[in-house]
């Protein structure tokens, strides 16, 4: 791919409306474009990243046996009246009327719709558990949309739902998601801490928010530092192993503002281990029992007896994650972004020095590009007329993990190569390929 032919509208100046580094970077590198307050178009660079995050989220859902479906964005008000949330949800819900004057809405979440699907499809307890998810746009008419895609009105979310016969089985389902979330965020190179949370308008009594530490986060957090050391790599998906993992995590004090209690904090955490900071909520899981199944009459037959199913719901902010990863990884002082290679929009940037009279470096670039492509390494060539320093700076900002500079120092066999933000070294295409391949494997 040639940069000159890509829709990557790089801005020279930092847009003044952007207050946090992720929003600044996303606008500067043309990842998104605001179309109205809190509503964005995703341009190629941003969209590629979001899609890669989405596929990691999907893989970890599939790994614990969740079935993927797709529900619509527009829902009927009827089911929300059944659950009682049509009024409760308030002004965050975007309400729409169709031409028949029917009350519709743009879904802010899907508990009602999935419960309706469940009650029409599943009759026997033998079909339980049912674990279902979809990845779909949501709309919440946030009072103060801000920070770009971090808190916007239309956003992309993975939401999953579990249906079980008993509370114990429902907690087992909950714990599967707990582990899947830890693994998902780890694959995104983020360290997310599960924190005991309030259940809010979704209702219920068991909930964890997954928070990543960031100065610009909107949640104030209070935690025991040792929680970062919990090891889940040996946890397998069986009931007791997962239950032990939950217990291990829950033993450490970790809460946001809403649940904070100074006395409890002092009692449970020594001063050395106290961490008070800010964080970004990237995921949220809930167990809420029969709150919706009772209200909406979703039950199964067990030995001739009607049992209301026990439910949970599990969200990940896929579009918010793009911004959250930038908050965690962008060095805004030196203007260097480092996308983990598994979600970077390209693996490698090829930066030839070109002038009006000499296009030979462009030819070399194309050869390297084709070679890398044949090895499944995805590169972009900056074929613009800018100087080499400007090109390097631009790609430091965009954050493609590797750069190959093709200029007066390169020979026919060796080129200047660097990991973004690090020193250049002379390497052959084979050596370059090996380094990138190794990173891709990790
Ligand atoms: P918040 O407290 O940040 O408003 P929430 O508790 O309302 O989040 P959930 O209903 O649990 O969020 O939604 C699941 C996930 O969707 C959140 O963890 C977050 O990552 C994402 N999300 C929620 N609201 C927004 C928003 N306005 N813009 C972008 N992502 C969002
Ligand atoms: Mg909210």
């Amino acid at each position: 791919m040639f940069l000159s032919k890509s829709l990557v509208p790089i801005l020279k100046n930092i847009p003044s409306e952007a207050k946090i580094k992720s929003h600044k970077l996303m606008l500067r590198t043309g990842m998104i474009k605001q179309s109205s307050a809190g509503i964005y178009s995703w341009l190629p660079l941003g969209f590629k990243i979001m899609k890669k995050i989405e596929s990691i989220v999907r893989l970890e859902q599939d790994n614990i046996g969740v079935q993927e479906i797709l529900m619509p964005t527009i829902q009927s008000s009827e089911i929300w009246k059944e659950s009682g949330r049509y009024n409760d949800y308030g002004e965050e819900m975007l309400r729409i009327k169709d031409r028949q004057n029917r009350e519709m809405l743009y879904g802010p979440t899907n508990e009602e719709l999935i419960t309706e699907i469940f009650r029409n499809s599943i009759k026997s307890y033998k079909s339980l558990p049912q674990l279902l998810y979809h990845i779909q746009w949501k709309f919440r008419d946030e009072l103060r949309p801000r920070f770009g895609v971090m808190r916007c009105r239309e956003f992309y979310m993975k939401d999953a739902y579990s249906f079980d016969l008993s509370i114990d089985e429902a907690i087992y389902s909950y714990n599967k998601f707990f582990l899947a979330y830890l693994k998902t965020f780890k694959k995104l190179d983020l360290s997310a801490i599960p924190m005991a949370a309030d259940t809010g308008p979704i209702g219920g009594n068991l909930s964890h928010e997954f928070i990543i530490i960031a100065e610009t986060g909107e949640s104030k957090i209070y935690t025991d530092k040792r929680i970062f050391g919990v090891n889940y790599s040996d946890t397998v998906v069986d009931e007791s192993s997962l239950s032990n993992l939950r217990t291990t995590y829950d033993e450490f004090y970790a809460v946001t503002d809403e649940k904070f209690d100074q006395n409890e904090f002092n009692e449970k955490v020594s001063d050395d281990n106290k961490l008070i900071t800010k964080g970004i909520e990237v995921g949220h899981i809930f167990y809420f029992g029969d709150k919706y199944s009772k209200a909406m009459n979703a039950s199964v037959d067990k030995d001739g007896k009607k049992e209301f199913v026990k439910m949970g719901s599990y969200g990940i902010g896929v579009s918010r994650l793009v911004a959250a990863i930038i908050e965690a990884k962008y060095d805004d002082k030196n203007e260097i972004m480092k996308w983990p290679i598994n979600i970077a929009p390209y693996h490698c940037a090829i930066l030839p020095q070109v002038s009006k009279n000499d296009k030979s470096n462009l030819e070399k670039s194309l050869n390297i590009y084709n070679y890398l492509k044949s090895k499944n390494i995805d590169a972009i060539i900056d074929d613009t007329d800018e100087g080499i320093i400007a090109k390097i700076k631009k790609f430091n900002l965009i954050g493609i993990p590797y750069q190959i500079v093709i200029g007066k120092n390169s020979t026919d066999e060796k080129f200047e190569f660097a990991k973004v933000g690090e020193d250049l070294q002379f390497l052959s295409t084979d050596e370059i390929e090996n380094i990138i391949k190794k990173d891709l494997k990790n």
Side-chain angles (χ1 to χ4, degrees):
M1 187 48 143
F2 288 113
L3 183 65
S4 67
K5 301 284 188 293
S6 313
L7 183 72
V8 182
I10 305 270
L11 305 179
K12 285 271 175 287
N13 300 312
I14 301 173
S16 62
E17 76 263 31
K19 302 288 177 242
I20 62 171
K21 56 188 184 178
S22 57
H23 192 193
K24 288 177 191 164
L25 185 71
M26 290 183 80
L27 292 176
R28 269 184 87 187
T29 56
M31 290 186 198
I32 50 169
K33 182 178 179 314
Q34 182 172 312
S35 77
S36 56
I39 302 180
Y40 291 86
S41 297
W42 288 78
L43 306 186
L45 278 188
F47 193 56
K48 267 174 176 279
I49 294 165
M50 186 166 75
K51 282 284 153 183
K52 289 186 176 186
I53 294 173
E54 177 186 0
S55 62
I56 290 172
V57 169
R58 173 175 288 120
L59 186 72
E60 292 304 323
Q61 297 295 291
D62 295 345
N63 276 345
I64 53 161
V66 198
Q67 309 165 75
E68 185 168 14
I69 60 171
L70 183 60
M71 293 178 269
T73 52
I74 306 291
Q75 305 181 17
S76 154
S77 63
E78 296 303 317
I79 46 177
W80 287 75
K81 286 177 183 163
E82 279 186 51
S83 75
R85 280 208 294 181
Y86 194 55
N87 288 327
D88 292 355
Y89 217 93
E91 298 203 292
E92 260 193 34
M93 180 186 278
L94 180 67
R95 297 155 205 260
I96 311 162
K97 280 207 173 128
D98 71 8
R99 66 205 293 166
Q100 317 286 357
N101 221 22
R102 278 186 295 242
E103 291 173 312
M104 312 294 285
L105 56 101
Y106 194 128
T109 178
N110 284 56
E111 282 78 11
E112 283 78 359
L113 198 50
I114 194 82
T115 304
E116 198 214 9
I117 292 171
F118 178 90
R119 76 180 173 195
N120 284 307
S121 330
I122 300 293
K123 304 292 172 210
S124 162
Y125 77 97
K126 288 182 185 148
S127 304
L128 300 182
Q130 282 291 319
L131 308 180
L132 301 157
Y133 77 101
H134 78 157
I135 305 177
Q136 176 63 293
W137 294 94
K138 304 289 182 293
F139 195 96
R140 295 183 187 172
D141 203 351
E142 297 274 355
L143 185 59
R144 281 191 300 152
R146 57 195 177 136
F147 302 152
V149 299
M150 191 75 91
R151 179 165 304 282
C152 47
R153 297 199 297 167
E154 192 181 40
F155 59 96
Y156 203 44
M157 193 211 275
K158 185 285 298 181
D159 41 325
Y161 303 88
S162 64
F163 299 85
D164 281 279
L165 185 63
S166 67
I167 297 176
D168 285 350
E169 286 159 314
I171 301 295
Y172 179 31
S173 292
Y174 183 93
N175 291 345
K176 287 183 193 168
F177 284 97
F178 190 91
L179 178 65
Y181 275 38
L182 291 168
K183 289 188 170 173
T184 303
F185 298 125
K186 173 93 192 296
K187 275 201 177 154
L188 298 172
D189 207 19
L190 293 173
S191 144
I193 336 173
M195 301 198 158
D198 272 343
T199 46
I202 289 204
N205 46 28
L206 170 63
S207 171
H208 287 85
E209 282 177 5
F210 287 76
I211 307 260
I212 64 163
I213 306 287
E215 267 309 304
T216 43
E218 290 186 279
S219 316
K220 191 153 191 205
I221 61 172
Y222 303 83
T223 185
D224 187 326
K225 279 179 201 161
R226 291 173 301 169
I227 200 167
F228 289 99
V230 178
N231 181 1
Y232 48 84
S233 56
D234 296 335
T235 308
V236 292
V237 184
D238 72 39
E239 211 163 340
S240 71
S241 182
L242 287 172
S243 161
N244 289 340
L245 179 71
R246 267 276 315 289
T247 312
T248 311
Y249 266 104
D250 287 343
E251 268 165 13
F252 292 109
Y253 193 81
V255 299
T256 61
D257 261 6
E258 297 156 8
K259 281 213 153 186
F260 180 63
D261 180 308
Q262 185 72 56
N263 291 334
E264 204 185 346
F265 194 37
N266 292 343
E267 248 167 56
K268 290 193 175 156
V269 192
S270 70
D271 284 348
D272 286 353
N273 288 322
K274 282 193 174 106
L275 176 67
I276 304 176
T277 181
K278 284 185 176 159
I280 301 168
E281 179 195 323
V282 286
H284 201 164
I285 60 178
F286 302 86
Y287 168 66
F288 43 73
D290 58 11
K291 180 180 152 86
Y292 297 93
S293 55
K294 242 186 184 152
M296 295 183 65
N297 196 23
S299 62
V300 289
D301 181 79
K302 170 91 203 283
D303 307 329
K305 210 171 139 241
K306 173 172 163 168
E307 300 275 358
F308 291 111
V309 282
K310 309 291 183 293
M311 294 174 58
S313 76
Y314 315 89
I316 290 183
V318 176
S319 49
R320 176 181 285 184
L321 270 169
V322 180
I325 293 168
I326 297 173
E327 290 299 323
K329 306 222 173 286
Y330 179 45
D331 168 1
D332 64 339
K333 207 171 123 247
N334 297 306
E335 305 200 322
I336 298 170
M337 175 60 199
K338 293 181 176 175
W339 289 105
I341 195 154
N342 57 347
I343 53 172
Y346 296 94
H347 302 137
C348 179
I350 304 172
L351 313 178
Q353 200 159 32
V354 282
S355 66
K356 275 217 176 70
N357 316 323
D358 185 3
K359 306 274 179 205
S360 60
N361 286 335
L362 255 186
E363 268 164 48
K364 280 187 192 165
S365 299
L366 205 53
N367 290 339
I368 295 176
Y369 175 91
N370 286 329
Y371 175 79
L372 293 176
K373 193 173 177 179
S374 74
K375 306 288 177 191
N376 290 321
I377 293 170
D378 195 15
I380 181 164
I381 304 173
D382 186 346
D383 57 333
T384 63
D385 291 338
E386 278 177 294
I388 204 69
I389 302 293
K391 287 184 181 182
I392 291 175
K393 280 190 173 164
K394 182 172 33 175
F395 276 90
N396 284 348
L397 200 63
I398 295 175
I400 307 299
Y402 296 99
Q403 301 176 353
I404 303 173
V405 175
I406 302 172
K408 53 180 184 302
N409 291 335
S410 43
T411 66
D412 283 341
E413 281 89 38
K414 296 221 172 190
F415 311 93
E416 288 179 288
F417 174 79
K419 198 166 179 160
V420 62
E422 294 179 11
D423 290 339
L424 291 163
Q425 52 185 140
F426 271 101
L427 296 177
S428 68
T429 43
D430 287 7
E431 290 167 321
I432 291 173
E433 179 202 340
N434 286 339
I435 292 176
I436 299 179
K437 278 268 168 74
K438 201 168 153 209
D439 195 2
L440 275 166
K441 263 197 202 118
N442 288 336

